[in-house]
Coordinates of all heavy atoms in Angstrom, one line a residue:
M1 N 77.5 90.7 123.3 CA 78.2 89.7 124.0 C 79.5 89.5 123.5 O 79.7 89.4 122.2 CB 77.4 88.4 123.9 CG 78.0 87.2 124.6 SD 76.8 85.8 124.6 CE 78.0 84.5 124.5
R2 N 80.6 89.6 124.3 CA 81.9 89.4 123.8 C 82.3 87.9 123.7 O 82.1 87.2 124.7 CB 82.9 90.1 124.8 CG 84.3 90.1 124.4 CD 85.1 90.9 125.4 NE 86.5 90.7 125.1 CZ 87.3 89.7 125.7 NH1 86.8 89.0 126.6 NH2 88.6 89.7 125.4
G3 N 82.8 87.5 122.6 CA 83.2 86.1 122.4 C 84.6 85.8 122.9 O 85.3 86.7 123.3
Q4 N 84.9 84.6 123.0 CA 86.3 84.2 123.3 C 87.2 84.6 122.2 O 86.8 84.6 121.0 CB 86.4 82.7 123.6 CG 85.5 82.2 124.7 CD 86.0 82.8 126.0 OE1 87.2 82.8 126.3 NE2 85.1 83.3 126.8
D5 N 88.5 84.7 122.5 CA 89.4 85.1 121.5 C 89.8 84.0 120.5 O 89.7 84.1 119.3 CB 90.7 85.6 122.1 CG 90.5 87.0 122.8 OD1 89.6 87.7 122.4 OD2 91.2 87.2 123.8
T6 N 90.1 82.8 121.1 CA 90.6 81.7 120.3 C 90.2 80.3 120.8 O 90.1 80.1 122.0 CB 92.2 81.7 120.2 OG1 92.6 83.0 119.8 CG2 92.8 80.7 119.3
V7 N 89.9 79.4 119.8 CA 89.7 78.0 120.2 C 90.9 77.3 119.5 O 91.2 77.5 118.4 CB 88.4 77.5 119.7 CG1 88.3 75.9 119.7 CG2 87.2 78.1 120.4
I8 N 91.5 76.4 120.3 CA 92.6 75.6 119.8 C 92.1 74.1 119.9 O 91.8 73.6 120.9 CB 93.9 75.7 120.7 CG1 94.3 77.2 120.6 CG2 95.0 74.8 120.1 CD1 95.5 77.5 121.6
S9 N 92.1 73.5 118.7 CA 91.6 72.1 118.6 C 92.8 71.2 118.6 O 93.8 71.5 117.9 CB 90.8 71.9 117.4 OG 90.4 70.6 117.2
A10 N 92.8 70.2 119.4 CA 93.9 69.2 119.5 C 93.4 67.8 119.3 O 93.8 66.9 120.0 CB 94.7 69.4 120.8
V11 N 92.4 67.6 118.5 CA 91.8 66.3 118.3 C 92.8 65.4 117.6 O 93.6 65.8 116.9 CB 90.5 66.3 117.5 CG1 89.5 67.1 118.2 CG2 90.7 66.8 116.1
G12 N 92.7 64.1 117.8 CA 93.4 63.1 117.1 C 92.8 62.7 115.8 O 91.9 63.3 115.4
A13 N 93.5 61.7 115.2 CA 93.1 61.3 113.8 C 91.6 61.0 113.7 O 91.0 61.2 112.6 CB 93.9 60.1 113.4
T14 N 91.0 60.4 114.6 CA 89.6 60.0 114.5 C 88.6 61.2 114.6 O 87.5 61.1 114.3 CB 89.2 59.0 115.6 OG1 89.4 59.6 116.9 CG2 90.0 57.7 115.4
G15 N 89.1 62.4 115.0 CA 88.3 63.6 115.1 C 88.6 64.7 114.1 O 88.0 65.8 114.2
F16 N 89.4 64.5 113.1 CA 89.8 65.6 112.2 C 88.5 66.2 111.6 O 88.3 67.4 111.7 CB 90.7 65.1 111.1 CG 92.1 64.7 111.6 CD1 92.8 63.8 110.8 CD2 92.7 65.3 112.7 CE1 94.2 63.5 111.2 CE2 93.9 65.0 113.1 CZ 94.7 64.1 112.4
V17 N 87.7 65.4 110.9 CA 86.5 65.9 110.2 C 85.4 66.5 111.2 O 84.8 67.4 110.9 CB 85.9 64.9 109.2 CG1 84.7 65.5 108.6 CG2 87.0 64.6 108.2
D18 N 85.4 65.9 112.4 CA 84.5 66.4 113.4 C 84.7 67.8 113.8 O 83.9 68.4 114.5 CB 84.4 65.4 114.6 CG 83.8 64.1 114.3 OD1 82.9 64.0 113.4 OD2 84.1 63.1 115.0
Q19 N 85.9 68.3 113.5 CA 86.2 69.7 113.9 C 85.2 70.7 113.2 O 85.0 71.8 113.7 CB 87.6 70.1 113.4 CG 88.7 69.4 114.3 CD 90.0 69.8 113.8 OE1 90.7 70.6 114.4 NE2 90.5 69.2 112.7
K20 N 84.5 70.2 112.1 CA 83.6 71.1 111.5 C 82.5 71.5 112.5 O 82.0 72.6 112.4 CB 83.0 70.4 110.3 CG 83.8 70.2 109.1 CD 83.1 69.5 108.0 CE 84.0 69.4 106.8 NZ 83.1 68.7 105.7
K21 N 82.1 70.6 113.3 CA 81.0 70.9 114.3 C 81.5 71.9 115.3 O 80.8 72.8 115.7 CB 80.6 69.6 115.1 CG 80.0 68.5 114.2 CD 79.8 67.2 115.0 CE 79.3 66.1 114.0 NZ 79.2 64.8 114.7
V22 N 82.8 71.8 115.7 CA 83.4 72.7 116.7 C 83.6 74.1 116.0 O 83.4 75.1 116.6 CB 84.7 72.2 117.2 CG1 85.4 73.2 118.2 CG2 84.6 70.8 117.8
I23 N 83.9 74.1 114.7 CA 84.0 75.3 113.9 C 82.7 76.1 113.9 O 82.6 77.3 114.2 CB 84.5 75.1 112.5 CG1 86.0 74.6 112.6 CG2 84.4 76.3 111.7 CD1 86.5 73.9 111.3
D24 N 81.6 75.3 113.6 CA 80.2 75.9 113.6 C 79.8 76.4 114.9 O 79.3 77.6 115.0 CB 79.2 74.9 113.1 CG 79.4 74.5 111.6 OD1 80.1 75.3 110.9 OD2 78.9 73.5 111.2
A25 N 80.2 75.7 116.0 CA 79.9 76.2 117.4 C 80.7 77.4 117.7 O 80.2 78.3 118.4 CB 80.1 75.1 118.4
S26 N 81.9 77.5 117.2 CA 82.8 78.6 117.4 C 82.2 79.9 116.8 O 82.3 81.0 117.4 CB 84.2 78.3 116.9 OG 84.8 77.3 117.6
I27 N 81.7 79.7 115.6 CA 81.0 80.9 114.9 C 79.9 81.4 115.7 O 79.7 82.6 115.9 CB 80.7 80.5 113.5 CG1 81.9 80.2 112.6 CG2 79.8 81.6 112.9 CD1 81.7 79.6 111.3
R28 N 79.1 80.5 116.3 CA 77.9 80.9 117.0 C 78.3 81.5 118.3 O 77.5 82.3 118.9 CB 77.0 79.7 117.3 CG 76.3 79.2 116.0 CD 75.2 78.2 116.3 NE 75.7 77.0 117.0 CZ 76.2 75.9 116.4 NH1 76.3 75.8 115.1 NH2 76.6 74.9 117.2
A29 N 79.4 81.2 118.9 CA 79.8 81.6 120.3 C 79.9 83.1 120.5 O 79.4 83.5 121.6 CB 81.1 80.9 120.7
P30 N 80.4 84.0 119.8 CA 81.3 83.9 118.7 C 82.8 83.9 119.1 O 83.1 84.6 120.1 CB 81.0 85.2 117.9 CG 80.7 86.2 119.1 CD 80.0 85.4 120.1
V31 N 83.6 83.1 118.4 CA 85.0 83.1 118.7 C 85.6 83.8 117.5 O 85.2 83.9 116.4 CB 85.4 81.6 118.6 CG1 86.9 81.4 118.5 CG2 84.9 80.9 119.8
K32 N 86.8 84.5 117.9 CA 87.5 85.3 116.9 C 88.4 84.5 115.9 O 88.5 84.7 114.8 CB 88.3 86.4 117.5 CG 87.5 87.4 118.3 CD 88.3 88.4 119.0 CE 87.5 89.4 119.9 NZ 88.3 90.2 120.7
R33 N 89.1 83.5 116.5 CA 90.1 82.8 115.8 C 90.0 81.3 116.1 O 89.8 80.9 117.3 CB 91.5 83.2 116.0 CG 92.6 82.4 115.3 CD 93.9 83.2 115.4 NE 93.9 84.5 114.8 CZ 94.0 84.8 113.5 NH1 94.1 83.8 112.6 NH2 93.9 86.0 113.1
F34 N 90.1 80.4 115.2 CA 90.1 78.9 115.4 C 91.4 78.4 114.9 O 91.9 78.7 113.8 CB 88.9 78.3 114.6 CG 88.8 76.9 114.9 CD1 87.9 76.5 115.9 CD2 89.4 75.9 114.1 CE1 87.8 75.1 116.2 CE2 89.2 74.6 114.4 CZ 88.4 74.2 115.4
I35 N 92.1 77.6 115.7 CA 93.3 76.9 115.3 C 93.0 75.4 115.3 O 92.8 74.8 116.3 CB 94.4 77.2 116.3 CG1 94.7 78.7 116.3 CG2 95.7 76.4 116.0 CD1 95.7 79.1 117.4
P36 N 92.9 74.8 114.0 CA 92.6 73.4 113.9 C 93.7 72.5 114.3 O 94.9 72.9 114.4 CB 92.3 73.3 112.4 CG 93.2 74.4 111.8 CD 93.2 75.5 112.7
S37 N 93.4 71.3 114.5 CA 94.4 70.3 114.8 C 95.2 70.0 113.5 O 95.0 69.1 112.7 CB 93.7 69.0 115.2 OG 94.7 68.0 115.6
E38 N 96.2 70.9 113.4 CA 97.0 70.9 112.2 C 98.5 70.8 112.5 O 99.3 71.3 111.8 CB 96.7 72.2 111.4 CG 97.3 72.5 110.1 CD 96.9 71.4 109.0 OE1 95.9 70.8 109.2 OE2 97.6 71.4 108.0
F39 N 98.8 70.3 113.7 CA 100.1 70.4 114.2 C 101.0 69.2 113.6 O 101.2 68.2 114.2 CB 100.1 70.3 115.7 CG 99.1 71.3 116.3 CD1 97.9 70.8 116.8 CD2 99.5 72.6 116.3 CE1 97.0 71.7 117.3 CE2 98.6 73.5 116.9 CZ 97.4 73.1 117.4
A40 N 101.3 69.4 112.3 CA 102.1 68.3 111.6 C 102.7 69.0 110.4 O 103.0 70.1 110.4 CB 101.2 67.2 111.3
S41 N 102.8 68.2 109.3 CA 103.3 68.7 108.1 C 102.3 69.5 107.4 O 101.1 69.5 107.8 CB 103.7 67.5 107.2 OG 104.7 66.7 107.8
D42 N 102.7 70.3 106.4 CA 101.8 71.2 105.6 C 100.8 70.3 104.8 O 101.1 69.8 103.8 CB 102.6 72.1 104.7 CG 101.8 73.0 103.9 OD1 100.6 73.1 104.1 OD2 102.3 73.6 103.0
T43 N 99.6 70.2 105.3 CA 98.6 69.4 104.7 C 98.0 70.1 103.4 O 97.1 69.5 102.7 CB 97.4 69.0 105.6 OG1 96.9 70.2 106.2 CG2 98.0 68.1 106.7
L44 N 98.4 71.3 103.1 CA 98.0 71.9 101.8 C 98.9 71.4 100.7 O 98.6 71.7 99.5 CB 98.0 73.4 101.9 CG 97.0 74.1 102.8 CD1 97.2 75.6 102.9 CD2 95.6 73.7 102.5
S45 N 100.0 70.7 101.1 CA 100.9 70.1 100.1 C 100.4 68.8 99.5 O 100.1 67.9 100.3 CB 102.3 70.0 100.7 OG 103.1 69.1 99.9
D46 N 100.3 68.7 98.2 CA 99.9 67.4 97.6 C 100.9 66.3 97.9 O 100.5 65.1 98.1 CB 99.8 67.5 96.1 CG 98.6 68.4 95.7 OD1 97.6 68.5 96.4 OD2 98.7 69.0 94.6
A47 N 102.2 66.6 98.1 CA 103.2 65.6 98.4 C 103.0 65.0 99.8 O 103.1 63.8 100.0 CB 104.6 66.2 98.3
V48 N 102.5 65.9 100.7 CA 102.3 65.4 102.1 C 101.1 64.4 102.0 O 101.1 63.4 102.7 CB 102.1 66.6 103.0 CG1 101.5 66.1 104.4 CG2 103.4 67.3 103.2
I49 N 100.0 64.9 101.3 CA 98.8 64.0 101.2 C 99.1 62.7 100.6 O 98.6 61.6 101.0 CB 97.7 64.7 100.4 CG1 97.3 66.1 101.2 CG2 96.5 63.8 100.3 CD1 96.8 65.9 102.6
Q50 N 100.0 62.6 99.7 CA 100.4 61.4 99.0 C 101.1 60.5 100.0 O 101.0 59.3 100.0 CB 101.3 61.6 97.8 CG 100.5 62.1 96.6 CD 101.4 62.4 95.4 OE1 102.6 62.4 95.5 NE2 100.7 62.7 94.3
L51 N 101.9 61.1 100.9 CA 102.7 60.3 101.9 C 101.8 59.8 103.0 O 102.1 58.8 103.6 CB 103.9 61.2 102.4 CG 105.1 61.4 101.5 CD1 106.0 62.4 102.0 CD2 105.7 60.1 101.1
V52 N 100.9 60.7 103.4 CA 100.1 60.4 104.6 C 98.6 60.7 104.2 O 98.1 61.8 104.4 CB 100.4 61.2 105.8 CG1 99.6 60.7 107.0 CG2 101.9 61.2 106.1
P53 N 97.9 59.8 103.4 CA 96.6 60.0 102.9 C 95.6 60.4 104.0 O 94.6 61.1 103.7 CB 96.2 58.7 102.3 CG 97.5 58.0 102.0 CD 98.5 58.5 103.0
L54 N 95.8 60.0 105.2 CA 94.9 60.4 106.3 C 94.8 61.9 106.5 O 93.8 62.4 106.9 CB 95.4 59.7 107.6 CG 94.7 60.2 108.9 CD1 93.2 59.7 108.9 CD2 95.4 59.7 110.1
F55 N 95.9 62.6 106.1 CA 95.9 64.1 106.2 C 94.9 64.8 105.2 O 94.7 66.0 105.3 CB 97.3 64.7 106.1 CG 98.1 64.4 107.3 CD1 97.6 63.8 108.4 CD2 99.4 64.8 107.3 CE1 98.4 63.5 109.6 CE2 100.2 64.6 108.5 CZ 99.7 64.0 109.6
E56 N 94.4 64.0 104.3 CA 93.3 64.6 103.4 C 92.2 65.2 104.2 O 91.6 66.2 103.9 CB 92.9 63.6 102.4 CG 91.8 64.1 101.5 CD 92.2 65.3 100.6 OE1 93.3 65.3 100.2 OE2 91.3 66.1 100.3
Q57 N 91.9 64.5 105.3 CA 90.8 65.0 106.2 C 91.2 66.3 106.8 O 90.3 67.2 107.0 CB 90.6 64.0 107.3 CG 90.0 62.6 106.8 CD 89.9 61.6 108.0 OE1 89.9 62.0 109.1 NE2 89.8 60.3 107.6
K58 N 92.4 66.5 107.1 CA 92.9 67.9 107.6 C 92.7 69.0 106.5 O 92.3 70.0 106.8 CB 94.3 67.8 108.0 CG 94.6 67.1 109.3 CD 96.0 67.2 109.7 CE 96.3 66.5 111.1 NZ 97.4 67.0 111.8
R59 N 93.0 68.6 105.3 CA 92.8 69.5 104.2 C 91.3 69.9 104.1 O 90.9 71.0 103.8 CB 93.3 69.0 102.9 CG 93.2 70.0 101.7 CD 93.7 69.4 100.4 NE 95.1 69.3 100.4 CZ 95.8 68.8 99.4 NH1 95.1 68.5 98.3 NH2 97.1 68.7 99.4
V60 N 90.4 68.9 104.3 CA 89.0 69.2 104.2 C 88.6 70.2 105.2 O 87.8 71.1 105.0 CB 88.2 67.8 104.4 CG1 86.7 68.1 104.6 CG2 88.4 66.9 103.2
V61 N 89.2 70.1 106.4 CA 88.9 71.1 107.5 C 89.4 72.5 107.1 O 88.7 73.5 107.3 CB 89.4 70.6 108.8 CG1 89.4 71.7 109.9 CG2 88.8 69.3 109.3
L62 N 90.6 72.5 106.5 CA 91.1 73.8 106.1 C 90.2 74.5 105.1 O 90.0 75.6 105.1 CB 92.5 73.7 105.7 CG 93.6 73.2 106.7 CD1 95.0 73.2 106.1 CD2 93.6 74.1 107.9
D63 N 89.8 73.7 104.1 CA 88.8 74.2 103.1 C 87.6 74.7 103.7 O 87.0 75.7 103.4 CB 88.6 73.1 102.1 CG 89.8 72.8 101.2 OD1 90.7 73.7 101.1 OD2 89.7 71.8 100.5
Y64 N 87.1 74.0 104.8 CA 85.9 74.4 105.5 C 86.1 75.7 106.2 O 85.2 76.6 106.1 CB 85.4 73.3 106.5 CG 84.1 73.5 107.0 CD1 82.9 73.3 106.2 CD2 83.9 73.8 108.4 CE1 81.7 73.5 106.8 CE2 82.7 74.0 108.9 CZ 81.5 73.8 108.1 OH 80.3 74.0 108.6
L65 N 87.3 75.8 106.8 CA 87.6 77.1 107.5 C 87.6 78.3 106.5 O 87.1 79.3 106.8 CB 88.9 76.9 108.2 CG 88.9 76.3 109.6 CD1 90.3 75.8 110.0 CD2 88.2 77.1 110.6
K66 N 88.2 78.0 105.4 CA 88.3 79.1 104.3 C 86.9 79.5 104.0 O 86.6 80.7 103.7 CB 89.0 78.6 103.1 CG 90.5 78.4 103.3 CD 91.1 77.8 102.1 CE 92.6 77.4 102.3 NZ 93.1 76.7 101.1
S67 N 85.9 78.6 103.9 CA 84.6 78.9 103.5 C 83.8 79.7 104.6 O 82.8 80.3 104.3 CB 83.8 77.6 103.2 OG 83.4 76.9 104.3
K68 N 84.4 79.6 105.8 CA 83.7 80.3 106.9 C 84.3 81.7 107.2 O 83.8 82.4 108.1 CB 83.8 79.4 108.2 CG 83.0 78.1 108.1 CD 81.6 78.4 107.8 CE 80.8 77.1 107.7 NZ 79.4 77.3 107.5
E69 N 85.3 82.0 106.5 CA 86.0 83.4 106.8 C 84.9 84.5 106.5 O 85.0 85.5 107.3 CB 87.2 83.6 105.8 CG 88.4 82.7 106.2 CD 89.4 82.8 105.1 OE1 89.2 83.3 104.0 OE2 90.5 82.2 105.5
S70 N 84.0 84.3 105.6 CA 83.0 85.4 105.3 C 82.0 85.5 106.5 O 81.4 86.6 106.6 CB 82.3 85.0 104.1 OG 81.5 83.9 104.2
E71 N 82.0 84.6 107.4 CA 81.2 84.7 108.6 C 81.9 85.3 109.8 O 81.4 85.4 110.9 CB 80.6 83.3 109.0 CG 79.7 82.8 107.9 CD 79.1 81.4 108.3 OE1 78.7 81.3 109.4 OE2 79.1 80.5 107.4
G72 N 83.2 85.8 109.5 CA 83.9 86.5 110.6 C 84.9 85.7 111.4 O 85.5 86.2 112.3
L73 N 85.1 84.4 111.0 CA 86.0 83.6 111.7 C 87.3 83.6 111.1 O 87.5 83.3 109.9 CB 85.5 82.1 111.8 CG 86.3 81.2 112.6 CD1 86.3 81.6 114.1 CD2 85.8 79.7 112.4
A74 N 88.3 84.0 111.8 CA 89.7 84.0 111.4 C 90.3 82.6 111.9 O 89.8 82.0 112.8 CB 90.5 85.1 112.0
W75 N 91.3 82.1 111.1 CA 91.9 80.9 111.6 C 93.4 80.9 111.3 O 93.8 81.6 110.4 CB 91.2 79.7 110.9 CG 91.3 79.7 109.4 CD1 90.5 80.4 108.5 CD2 92.3 79.0 108.6 NE1 90.9 80.2 107.2 CE2 92.0 79.3 107.2 CE3 93.4 78.2 108.9 CZ2 92.8 78.9 106.2 CZ3 94.1 77.7 107.8 CH2 93.8 78.0 106.5
S76 N 94.1 80.0 111.9 CA 95.5 79.8 111.7 C 95.8 78.3 111.7 O 95.4 77.6 112.7 CB 96.4 80.5 112.8 OG 96.1 81.9 112.8
G77 N 96.5 77.8 110.7 CA 97.0 76.5 110.7 C 98.5 76.5 111.1 O 99.2 77.3 110.6
I78 N 98.9 75.6 112.0 CA 100.2 75.6 112.4 C 100.9 74.3 111.9 O 100.6 73.2 112.4 CB 100.3 75.7 114.0 CG1 99.7 76.9 114.5 CG2 101.8 75.6 114.4 CD1 99.5 77.1 115.9
A79 N 101.8 74.4 110.9 CA 102.5 73.2 110.4 C 103.9 73.2 111.1 O 104.7 74.1 110.9 CB 102.7 73.4 108.9
T80 N 104.1 72.2 111.9 CA 105.3 72.1 112.7 C 106.4 71.3 112.0 O 107.5 71.2 112.6 CB 105.0 71.5 114.1 OG1 104.4 70.2 113.9 CG2 104.1 72.4 114.9
A81 N 106.2 70.7 110.9 CA 107.1 69.9 110.2 C 106.9 68.4 110.3 O 105.8 68.0 110.5 CB 108.6 70.2 110.6
L82 N 107.9 67.6 110.2 CA 107.8 66.2 110.2 C 107.2 65.6 111.5 O 107.3 66.3 112.5 CB 109.1 65.5 110.0 CG 109.9 65.8 108.7 CD1 111.2 65.3 108.7 CD2 109.1 65.3 107.6
L83 N 106.6 64.5 111.4 CA 106.0 63.8 112.6 C 107.1 62.8 113.1 O 107.2 61.7 112.8 CB 104.8 63.0 112.1 CG 103.6 63.8 111.6 CD1 102.5 62.9 111.0 CD2 103.0 64.6 112.7
F84 N 107.9 63.4 114.0 CA 108.9 62.5 114.6 C 108.5 61.4 115.4 O 109.1 60.4 115.5 CB 109.9 63.4 115.3 CG 110.7 64.3 114.5 CD1 110.5 65.7 114.5 CD2 111.7 63.8 113.6 CE1 111.2 66.6 113.7 CE2 112.4 64.7 112.8 CZ 112.2 66.0 112.8
D85 N 107.3 61.5 116.0 CA 106.7 60.4 116.8 C 106.3 59.2 115.9 O 106.1 58.2 116.4 CB 105.6 60.9 117.7 CG 104.4 61.5 116.9 OD1 104.7 62.0 115.8 OD2 103.3 61.4 117.4
W86 N 106.2 59.4 114.6 CA 105.9 58.3 113.7 C 107.2 57.6 113.3 O 107.1 56.6 112.6 CB 105.2 58.8 112.4 CG 103.8 59.2 112.7 CD1 103.1 59.5 113.9 CD2 102.7 59.3 111.7 NE1 101.8 59.8 113.7 CE2 101.5 59.6 112.4 CE3 102.7 59.1 110.4 CZ2 100.3 59.8 111.7 CZ3 101.5 59.2 109.7 CH2 100.3 59.6 110.4
V87 N 108.3 58.2 113.5 CA 109.6 57.6 113.1 C 110.2 56.8 114.3 O 110.4 57.4 115.3 CB 110.6 58.6 112.6 CG1 111.9 58.0 112.2 CG2 109.9 59.4 111.4
R88 N 110.5 55.6 114.1 CA 111.1 54.8 115.2 C 112.6 55.0 115.2 O 113.3 54.7 114.2 CB 110.8 53.3 115.0 CG 111.3 52.5 116.2 CD 110.9 51.1 116.0 NE 111.3 50.4 117.2 CZ 110.7 49.4 117.7 NH1 109.7 48.9 117.1 NH2 111.2 48.8 118.8
M89 N 113.1 55.5 116.2 CA 114.5 55.8 116.3 C 115.2 54.5 116.8 O 114.7 53.9 117.7 CB 114.8 57.0 117.3 CG 114.0 58.3 116.9 SD 114.4 58.9 115.3 CE 116.0 59.6 115.6
R90 N 116.4 54.3 116.2 CA 117.1 53.1 116.6 C 118.5 53.5 117.1 O 119.1 54.3 116.7 CB 117.3 52.1 115.5 CG 115.9 51.5 115.1 CD 116.0 50.6 113.9 NE 114.7 50.2 113.5 CZ 114.2 49.1 113.6 NH1 114.8 48.1 114.1 NH2 113.0 48.8 113.1

């Protein structure tokens, strides 16, 4: 059975850790690549986590993805830079 090429997750803040369930389902599907909801600053950076503690949950997901590489799942995190929608422009 041929799996899907890629799953792109775009969950919001309340769903960051729940991506683990989607990751597990993707492995069973089988999916070749998973792109987590990582469209923000580099959450592997300690400085970013200090500024936005909520992003620790994103780091947990990245660590989980790293642990699943041995099961054949590739992944890509996309860090797009600052969260401009969090900054109020005057």
Side-chain angles (χ1 to χ4, degrees):
M1 182 172 147
R2 183 176 170 266
Q4 297 296 315
D5 291 332
T6 304
V7 167
I8 301 171
S9 176
V11 300
T14 59
F16 290 155
V17 175
D18 288 335
Q19 290 180 101
K20 289 181 179 182
K21 296 174 188 172
V22 181
I23 292 165
D24 291 340
S26 296
I27 292 169
R28 288 189 304 271
V31 168
K32 295 177 185 175
R33 179 169 301 277
F34 188 88
I35 299 176
S37 183
E38 183 63 19
F39 310 105
S41 300
D42 179 9
T43 56
L44 294 177
S45 164
D46 291 334
V48 169
I49 299 300
Q50 287 178 350
L51 289 171
V52 188
L54 174 67
F55 284 0
E56 176 64 32
Q57 295 176 16
K58 289 185 173 203
R59 184 183 287 182
V60 167
V61 171
L62 295 183
D63 290 341
Y64 191 70
L65 281 165
K66 290 176 190 176
S67 76
K68 297 298 180 178
E69 290 173 348
S70 64
E71 295 182 43
L73 183 66
W75 63 275
S76 297
I78 301 172
T80 58
L82 297 173
L83 296 172
F84 289 110
D85 58 335
W86 283 23
V87 179
R88 185 175 183 153
M89 305 302 283
R90 296 181 190 246

